[in-house]
Amino acid sequence: MAKVADKYLCVDPWKIIEEGFHSDRSEVSESLFSLANEYQGVRGFFDEGYSGKSLIGVYLNGIYEERFTEGMPYKGISNRLAFMVNTVNWLYTHIEVDEETLDLAKSKFSDFRRELDFRSGELLREFIWETESGKKLKFVFKRLLSMETKELACQQIRMTPLNFSGKVMLTMGLDFTIPHRMFNQNFWDCARKENDAVLCVTKNIGHRLFAGMNVYAEAEQTPIEEEKFVGVRLEVDVAEGQESMIGKSVALYTNRNPTQALDDAWEQGMSQLQTSTKKYDEVLESNRAYWNDFWAKSDITIDGDADTQQGIRFCIFQMQQTYRGVIDGANIGAKGLTGEAYNGNAFWDTETYCLPFYLFSNPKAAKALLDFRYKTLPQAMARAKDLDCEGACFPIATIDGTESCTLWQHASLQFQPTTAVAYGIWHYVNVTGDTAFLRAEGAELLVQICRFLASRGQWSAKGRFGYYAVMGPDEFQMMVNNNAYTNYMAKRTFEFALDVLSSLSQRERAGGEGEIVPRAEVDKWREMADKMFIPYDPETKLFEQHEGFFNLPHIDVDTIPVEDFPLYHHWSYDRIYRNDMIKQPDVLMFMLLYNQSFSLEEKQANYDYYEPRCIHESSLSPSVHSILASELGRYQEAFDFFHFATRIDLDNYNRNTHEGIHTTSIAAAWMNIVYGFGGMRSDGDILLFSPSIPAHWNGYSFQVTYRGSVIRVEVSQAEAIIKAVTGEPVKIKVGSQEVQVDQQGISFPIKDKEAVG
Amino acid sequence: MAKVADKYLCVDPWKIIEEGFHSDRSEVSESLFSLANEYQGVRGFFDEGYSGKSLIGVYLNGIYEERFTEGMPYKGISNRLAFMVNTVNWLYTHIEVDEETLDLAKSKFSDFRRELDFRSGELLREFIWETESGKKLKFVFKRLLSMETKELACQQIRMTPLNFSGKVMLTMGLDFTIPHRMFNQNFWDCARKENDAVLCVTKNIGHRLFAGMNVYAEAEQTPIEEEKFVGVRLEVDVAEGQESMIGKSVALYTNRNPTQALDDAWEQGMSQLQTSTKKYDEVLESNRAYWNDFWAKSDITIDGDADTQQGIRFCIFQMQQTYRGVIDGANIGAKGLTGEAYNGNAFWDTETYCLPFYLFSNPKAAKALLDFRYKTLPQAMARAKDLDCEGACFPIATIDGTESCTLWQHASLQFQPTTAVAYGIWHYVNVTGDTAFLRAEGAELLVQICRFLASRGQWSAKGRFGYYAVMGPDEFQMMVNNNAYTNYMAKRTFEFALDVLSSLSQRERAGGEGEIVPRAEVDKWREMADKMFIPYDPETKLFEQHEGFFNLPHIDVDTIPVEDFPLYHHWSYDRIYRNDMIKQPDVLMFMLLYNQSFSLEEKQANYDYYEPRCIHESSLSPSVHSILASELGRYQEAFDFFHFATRIDLDNYNRNTHEGIHTTSIAAAWMNIVYGFGGMRSDGDILLFSPSIPAHWNGYSFQVTYRGSVIRVEVSQAEAIIKAVTGEPVKIKVGSQEVQVDQQGISFPIKDKEAVG
């Protein structure tokens, strides 16, 4: 991997800390210091404004806009782009002393420090401003999003004059004038505003967003109104050596119904504002309690490697901020709520990369993610029809269930989202045992997915079933036939659906919404599954990524100059697609998802063949390789990939963290510990563990919630201990042995002492 | 082929005639009744305006505009669309009697008839208008574009009151306000206007177009000026039974230099107007002389089939109208100067489909087409660079030499324009013997083409050279590896270039612009040519269209419902690309271009395999099949394809003639006679003839200009006669025999009396 770390943050087990302001990384820091509580998210931009590089990004989950592109006028090609729209800067602050404006791009300042605490979700920033006339004023800015009351956000500003007494002029407000950067346009119309509140509506879709504030300060407040803006002006008397404090509590209230009466939206917002009375310290207290509970169940410790300890906690913290299943109809955008890249759209990452974290920490949230697909089944069925197919085709990118990818080659040729939904159902049911979901929503989804797979596939002249003109997960092989991943996943999907259907009672099949799938259709699916073409060479044990892959011109990826990366920016578009280089795992991907269906020899052969051809240009790539490398006993490789995956954003490996956090990729960092070093496998009847440990670690631990119990795994260089710390004893497998674990736990030596350093 | 003829025109050997107005085909007729003289073209719209469906299209060759599309932000993807822009309606006329406006969409009229005469290029239209008050006024509208003075256009209106005397109010003008339909926008700014002239400039590119007029009428002329419009109002006194005549001569003068002083442009236009004094009848006379000369050299007669006689003359007439090599820097747009579809862009059709007609009727024009490529070599070299390649890559679509196709999959993956330029050079030199061109421009072009081919191709793991991620001529196989056409044409291009280089003297290679190609580069090309992978099965004698084509799912194209055509409009985009259906010849295409390099058995096997898989959705398709069908003795098939090719527009087979004539496709109708039934082959050292004749024809004849002589071929059911009617005796081959033909000629029985009826 041609990746270089870009280190400037301090290492700390529970925080990210920036000492001294790094103006050249201002937008990277804004992404890293983002806060979110699933309902809302805010980038770590400066409250007081900053005339240098900055993206003032505030996003509300599920509040989006749409735009129609020119595109190609052919059937099945979507030209509608839905995007999570930038909303209101509720932190708006303007600060003046002696008519000089505070702006860290221009002002003289010292002692800059900021930190984000994973145990509270508090972002704190402090520095000393020295005005042109030599006045020194110490600032502490703090902000919080309430984990308890999702609509509530708090800001606190503390000021201490170090060498003077006098006046500080502040303006604090709610600013709806921020342009959406991607299109350099503001998408809000103001519907109503009063002193301390404003209601705006998105121009095209008509989503409503109410923002109201309470400002707490020992100063006269003069209201200000401007276009799409309300605020107050404060004249604060400050005294040398004494701290003054200004607080602001904000309620953000959304409604996605474009026909809702504006007065109703206003009333609902106002009543939310009136109940959002908690001030900063109360919210901080409740957030601490929330995160304390969370970490007690979901922490991962790494002893002896501060770098990855910080990295893994950052990943887990960001995941939990982004999604926890509390609001209806939300999914997980590729950048979470931290930036505008990928337009806030969710991808197949949800079921494939994010779902396991929730399955083993918050099964309700996992179910909510699958419910999102169930609720958007009508859109997926409409999409299948657009593609001249039957059943349901789930979108490659979406906010609201409708296909939002305007690049036809991805939207029309990639089907991993559809098989990923089936895989997600299977994985969810396998881990939780929630057969009620399976019999109802699950079965209905599976039937429509199989109908799509049956109608999109074709029979070859040789009587094999397969998929033509497809792109698999590896986006560097754009339009191929019989992609092994696509075919294999389709085969397993058919087989799973057929099992489910045969397990349904006659009553279940006929009752309610349930539809009886005709015998002939079932038989057809059986035949398609049986005769699915999986390109495989039994001699070499290699799966061929697609028909003809082995004959492609070879390129030694190590000879590509570092400055050519990312290739999408430096190579002509078509050049990427005509050799045996791959962007991300494809064959190795299905060998991970259905891990126990393949022999170690097969995994080894395919890893040896495909990893050297992979440039890991997708952030989803390293984790998958890390987990398989662990299984193959390649601990150094496993650790290197893990280190990368865990710190992809903290060290800005892909040089694009300024656009937002790789939210769905860092979900896989969790898998790296649990499935990688922990060796857990959840694709069998019972959980399997097979721990290993990097040689330079003293130990590590993680916990998984499984069928009501919490299983704790502690691994040191000497041994592994597995306990059921809460709940009933649980039967698991360790290596090939079935064992029951309870609060006492079991201990055993770890499998390979050759682990590397 | 699922094609249905749509007949409404009268059959005539020298004209197209419409009797009675077919308002449902108004735009089809506008295309068919188009006039052009290479410099300018005008659709057959009504002078007096028409509130029904109409495209008022007036185009000047080489006058275009540009527009930047949103597109994909990747390297090598063009987002600049250049399009031939709609210009000035120089026929603008408004006619009133008793304040009632003449408008055939609303007015009462009878005795409508229009005709276009191929022997003069005159378009005549007549009808009797009956006003609401019962006045009957007979109109004859005529128009002409001068073949002698390319800037000159003439209009004539004759009016005869049948049952009244009184006044007719006419406004005649030059109207620059016509919107360009494709973008529903007018692209002209007015720079200057006076009584009878107006100078406009295109908004983005700055091309200048001056239009001036002289109106001849026995009536007071009142000048009118409006925005982008000048005209005169005429009050004409008409007397019952007496014909009144109004004439207008127009000069259109273009300059493509955006920095030219506007006053200079005006002066040049005015001086053109002052010399364009010829009136209608004089121009008609000179046009008759021009076309008389032309037909004497280039006519094709068909005795006993009035339908195809009309069709083939229409095709030849349109070709000659569109291009004849008189203006600099012009090429042949896919729709000529008859409509806005394909944006006036030229494709590989020029070298592959159009060039033979000019090679054998007007070698200077053929050379001018190759000169266009030579002059745009810098753009082709820039394009190759964009694609991370060396040398020159010629555009898939262009007006000015720059790639103008914004669909990356065509622009980045189709290389037949580049090999077609090499083929065109080879064909031109082979037919004309113009080695001076070959040594100078030809060699330079070939070197740059080979550099592109060498850098775009790749070596397979098995040590074969070929092209990956390409689209061949068949656009239904979008992104494939080792397309047989692409590889074969590249191989022949290398071989031709190597021959040319080895024939150049040391002096030629070193002199002037000439560059000595390094030995190593020559050797590399030789190796690439030698090891080019051509997918071929010696047992079946089948070329595989691309690697893997034979394994594609089969679709029986005869089972596709007629209402699904054209598939681009009715099938989801990706669905088209995943079976063994083809849109147009690909393997059969190179078997036509290098016809004598393949055995009859090979041609037969491949025709039998590919023709049934071809849906002929490209208008370029039937002719190629017709020629090969003739060679294979399948005369009925050959005739059917020929009939289609010849009358594709007259019978509106593709349901899109309203967008313009299939100019480059109908060029191939000429090839159908000469190469098809005439059995001529020009890919050997000397011309070969091997005539056949459809059973229901009495005879046919054609003439080809070849190295200064005109060879006439006359074929009847009994025999063929071949003479050199002018010039020196010529050595040709008939079947396998070499013979010398002179004015006496030779005669021989035709090869196959089983020709069908």
Side-chain angles (χ1 to χ4, degrees), chain A residues 388 458 572-573 575 578, chain B residues 75 388 458 572 575 578:
Chain A
D388 290 348
Q458 288 164 282
S572 104
Y573 189 62
R575 180 180 171 200
R578 42 188 166 92
Chain B
K75 186 161 186 278
D388 289 348
Q458 289 164 281
S572 101
R575 181 179 170 200
R578 40 187 166 95

Side-chain angles (χ1 to χ4, degrees), chain A residues 16 28 44 54 61 174 366 546 615 687 748:
Chain A
I16 51 170
V28 173
S54 172
N61 208 332
L174 303 169
H546 64 256
I615 65 160
L687 285 186
F748 52 94

Side-chain angles (χ1 to χ4, degrees), chain A residues 70-71, chain B residues 65-83 183 204 343 345 383 386-387 397 402-409 411-412:
Chain A
E70 249 178 19
Chain B
E65 262 290 45
E66 67 182 8
R67 198 161 167 274
F68 293 86
T69 63
E70 250 179 16
M72 288 162 61
Y74 297 113
K75 186 161 186 278
I77 299 184
S78 170
N79 68 342
R80 173 187 181 261
L81 179 73
F83 57 95
F183 307 117
N204 303 325
N343 301 302
N345 278 236
R383 175 67 184 152
D386 267 0
L387 293 172
T402 303
E403 180 59 76
S404 178
C405 177
T406 56
L407 299 178
W408 69 267
Q409 56 274 36
S412 299

Side-chain angles (χ1 to χ4, degrees), chain B residues 65-267:
Chain B
E65 262 290 45
E66 67 182 8
R67 198 161 167 274
F68 293 86
T69 63
E70 250 179 16
M72 288 162 61
Y74 297 113
K75 186 161 186 278
I77 299 184
S78 170
N79 68 342
R80 173 187 181 261
L81 179 73
F83 57 95
M84 181 175 76
V85 66
N86 203 345
T87 64
V88 55
N89 177 8
W90 56 269
L91 288 158
Y92 178 90
T93 307
H94 181 91
I95 298 174
E96 278 181 22
V97 169
D98 300 341
E99 299 190 345
E100 183 183 337
T101 296
L102 171 60
D103 173 359
L104 294 195
K106 294 170 180 167
S107 303
K108 191 171 168 191
F109 66 97
S110 62
D111 299 277
F112 180 99
R113 175 189 172 87
R114 63 176 147 182
E115 55 180 56
L116 167 59
D117 191 333
F118 309 145
R119 289 163 305 186
S120 63
E122 177 182 66
L123 173 60
L124 176 152
R125 179 170 53 104
E126 59 186 17
F127 58 87
I128 296 167
W129 177 25
E130 185 176 343
T131 68
E132 280 173 22
S133 59
K135 288 178 180 166
K136 290 190 176 184
L137 186 57
K138 181 179 176 186
F139 279 97
V140 181
F141 289 88
K142 300 202 281 187
R143 70 180 71 160
L144 268 183
L145 300 179
S146 169
M147 298 302 282
E148 186 185 49
T149 309
K150 62 188 188 303
E151 297 84 359
L152 177 59
C154 297
Q155 176 188 25
Q156 193 182 76
I157 305 173
R158 292 165 183 264
M159 306 183 289
T160 312
L162 303 184
N163 62 355
F164 73 103
S165 296
K167 284 188 188 306
V168 180
M169 309 294 298
L170 285 98
T171 308
M172 301 183 73
L174 302 170
D175 181 7
F176 263 104
T177 67
I178 310 303
H180 189 86
R181 177 182 282 183
M182 192 75 76
F183 307 117
N184 194 25
Q185 196 187 332
N186 180 283
F187 289 91
W188 294 96
D189 288 325
C190 187
R192 181 164 167 189
K193 64 186 167 192
E194 289 182 10
N195 277 353
D196 48 3
V198 54
L199 172 68
C200 283
V201 177
T202 62
K203 284 180 191 292
N204 303 325
I205 298 256
H207 284 178
R208 284 102 167 85
L209 175 56
F210 169 95
M213 66 177 182
N214 290 307
V215 175
Y216 308 100
E218 285 186 17
E220 183 104 351
Q221 300 190 14
T222 317
I224 315 171
E225 275 194 33
E226 289 174 22
E227 209 196 325
K228 306 186 200 176
F229 178 91
V230 295
V232 290
R233 187 180 295 270
L234 307 170
E235 194 176 312
V236 183
D237 291 307
V238 292
E240 183 168 338
Q242 288 181 25
E243 189 177 73
S244 298
M245 192 187 81
I246 301 109
K248 181 161 71 170
S249 293
V250 172
L252 299 180
Y253 194 79
T254 64
N255 191 308
R256 277 181 272 179
N257 176 4
T259 63
Q260 187 201 30
L262 292 169
D263 283 348
D264 291 350
W266 180 266
E267 289 312 321

